[in-house]
Amino acid sequence: MIVIHTDLKKKQEAIRAKCFHPSGKFREFRREEVEQSIPSRFEKIVLQYPAQIAIKTQKEALTYTQLDARANGVARAILDTIGETSQPVVILPDDPVEAIVGALGALKAGKFYVPLEPALPAARMRSVLEDLNSKL
């Protein structure tokens, strides 16, 4: 028998209350929407809401179409550089938008990525990079 702790259930309900579809209403995901890759799901959203804002910071805002185009550019650059190898891609973003563009681009290229925090000490970054043996 599975028992969900009452506090956890309340937290889940609070999170769910904040999760809204771009239409402004909460919408459950259908099973087939969940059982697909992130890039595949994202591209469907781009087709549905091309001009809607996907990312907004104090410095910039990108529509779904703009985000898709930038992520595609990153994916092409990754594939041109390391090809179809299974190497990880390290992301060292300057800002949150670049972090999302880089992550989505890596996923579109069929790669896994490792985000690095720019504030990490240089020795720690070198250690991570050596462990990963990433060329990009």
Side-chain angles (χ1 to χ4, degrees):
M1 182 169 108
I2 298 175
V3 178
I4 296 179
H5 193 272
T6 306
D7 288 342
L8 177 60
K9 187 170 183 175
K10 286 179 184 177
K11 287 178 185 178
Q12 289 172 335
E13 288 171 358
I15 291 169
R16 185 177 180 173
K18 294 179 183 179
C19 296
F20 287 94
H21 187 263
S23 68
K25 298 179 182 174
F26 180 80
R27 181 177 72 88
E28 291 278 345
F29 287 111
R30 295 186 312 268
R31 181 172 212 85
E32 59 271 10
E33 292 175 329
V34 176
E35 294 177 347
Q36 57 186 292
S37 70
I38 292 170
S40 176
R41 179 72 188 130
F42 178 75
E43 288 171 3
K44 288 180 181 180
I45 292 171
V46 171
L47 292 174
Q48 289 178 316
Y49 307 101
Q52 287 201 8
I53 299 296
I55 302 174
K56 185 176 181 180
T57 67
Q58 291 179 345
K59 294 181 181 179
E60 70 180 309
L62 295 178
T63 65
Y64 281 101
T65 299
Q66 292 168 325
L67 175 57
D68 190 45
R70 285 179 56 179
N72 286 340
V74 169
R76 279 189 299 277
I78 290 169
L79 292 171
D80 288 347
T81 304
I82 61 173
E84 299 293 328
T85 66
S86 61
Q87 283 184 23
V89 174
V90 175
I91 298 175
L92 184 65
D94 289 336
D95 63 56
V97 172
E98 291 306 317
I100 294 169
V101 168
L104 188 55
L107 293 173
K108 283 179 164 250
K111 308 295 181 187
F112 69 93
Y113 67 94
V114 177
L116 283 182
E117 175 61 42
L120 283 175
R124 177 66 182 135
M125 271 197 229
R126 273 193 300 279
S127 172
V128 170
L129 291 171
E130 287 171 8
D131 287 348
L132 291 171
N133 194 30
S134 177
K135 302 212 183 325
L136 183 64

